[in-house]
């Protein structure tokens, strides 16, 4: 299942990925005008009309001896989407661990275990309020889906250039972080990493 999702994201099957991306974007865009119940029921109705029509068509071909009578959606019906006991327990434990880790991280941020980290979250939330004034969550979801189907492929094709830009940005962020830390410590010079501090030179 995971490998098929990665094939979609990396456009291994261009036609299938295009259909999935177009369907997702069109479905989300329709939510701007229609309710989610209307969109879901209309899409389901369209899918059911298509599958029933194809099933009847193949059945008629079999009756007329023009087909082998094989179910047109056999590959989808035989697709294994179940989890074994051990696999289900593994995913459940992983979900529980991730949830508890997220709750613990939020607890540390909101109750200010580390002042610098909490200030970063405060700044991020303040910027998100401006983002919320510019667009709604549905717009961000559409942008996120388009990015999901475009950025991984772009990174694979331009990995060296992207890594170079990311390293430069990371270096700038490290310099800013070091500057802020020095301001928080009273504006003194950066701490000498050598044991015992710098030794005076002997003339």
């Amino acid at each position: 299942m995971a490998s098929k999702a990665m094939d979609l994201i990396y456009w291994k099957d261009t036609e299938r990925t295009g259909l999935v991306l177009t369907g997702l974007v069109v479905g989300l865009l329709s939510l701007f005008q229609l309710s989610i119940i209307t969109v879901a029921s209309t899409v389901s109705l369209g899918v059911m009309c298509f599958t029933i029509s194809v099933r009847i068509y193949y059945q008629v071909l079999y009756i007329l001896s023009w087909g082998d009578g094989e179910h047109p959606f056999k590959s989808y019906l035989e697709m294994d989407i179940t989890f074994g006991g051990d696999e289900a327990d593994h995913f459940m434990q992983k979900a529980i661990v991730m949830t508890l880790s997220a709750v613990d991280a939020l607890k540390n941020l909101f109750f200010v275990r580390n002042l610098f980290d909490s200030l970063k979250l405060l700044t991020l939330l303040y910027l998100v309020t401006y983002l919320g004034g510019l667009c709604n969550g549905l717009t961000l979801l559409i942008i996120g889906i388009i990015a999901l189907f475009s950025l991984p492929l772009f990174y694979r094709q331009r990995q060296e250039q992207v890594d170079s830009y990311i390293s430069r940005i990371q270096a700038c962020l490290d310099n800013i972080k070091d500057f802020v830390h020095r301001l928080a410590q009273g504006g003194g010079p950066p701490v000498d990493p050598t044991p015992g501090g710098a030794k005076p030179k002997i003339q």
Side-chain angles (χ1 to χ4, degrees):
M1 187 67 68
S3 61
K4 292 183 178 180
M6 296 303 295
D7 290 343
L8 284 175
I9 292 174
Y10 285 104
W11 296 77
K12 295 294 182 62
D13 188 341
T14 306
E15 182 178 352
R16 177 175 296 181
T17 301
L19 289 174
V20 171
L21 178 59
T22 302
L24 288 174
V25 173
V26 171
L28 291 174
L29 286 174
S30 62
L31 292 177
F32 283 108
Q33 301 294 332
L34 304 171
S35 67
I36 187 172
I37 297 176
T38 303
V39 173
S41 59
T42 303
V43 171
S44 300
L45 182 63
V47 172
M48 288 295 297
C49 289
F50 172 76
T51 54
I52 291 175
S53 300
V54 173
R55 182 72 174 92
I56 293 174
Y57 173 72
Y58 272 73
Q59 191 67 25
V60 171
L61 291 180
Y62 176 69
I63 293 174
L64 298 176
S65 299
W66 292 348
D68 55 5
E70 184 176 347
H71 199 291
F73 305 110
K74 181 179 179 181
S75 60
Y76 295 100
L77 292 173
E78 294 179 350
M79 185 181 299
D80 186 15
I81 58 175
T82 60
F83 291 109
D86 295 337
E87 195 173 13
D89 291 339
H90 171 72
F91 281 108
M92 183 62 66
Q93 292 176 4
K94 188 175 181 179
I96 293 174
V97 170
M98 291 177 63
T99 302
L100 294 178
S101 299
V103 172
D104 185 63
L106 291 174
K107 178 190 67 175
N108 294 334
L109 290 171
F110 279 98
F111 292 104
V112 199
R113 179 182 293 274
N114 184 290
L115 180 60
F116 186 74
D117 291 338
S118 296
L119 288 175
K120 288 192 293 184
L121 177 63
L122 179 66
T123 304
L124 177 63
L125 293 176
Y126 183 72
L127 294 176
V128 169
T129 59
Y130 281 97
L131 184 62
L134 296 175
C135 56
N136 56 25
L138 188 57
T139 303
L140 294 178
L141 183 58
I142 295 173
I143 295 174
I145 289 178
I146 295 175
L148 178 65
F149 281 88
S150 58
L151 293 182
L153 182 62
F154 176 79
Y155 176 74
R156 172 175 289 185
Q157 296 176 345
R158 300 286 189 271
Q159 183 173 356
E160 294 183 359
Q161 299 176 7
V162 173
D163 288 342
S164 175
Y165 284 120
I166 291 177
S167 62
R168 294 177 186 176
I169 294 173
Q170 185 64 42
C172 293
L173 292 177
D174 290 340
N175 291 334
I176 294 173
K177 185 176 180 180
D178 180 66
F179 176 73
V180 172
H181 274 298
R182 282 190 282 135
L183 286 179
Q185 294 172 359
V191 179
D192 192 338
T194 58
K199 302 295 188 297
K201 294 182 178 180
I202 300 177
Q203 299 292 337

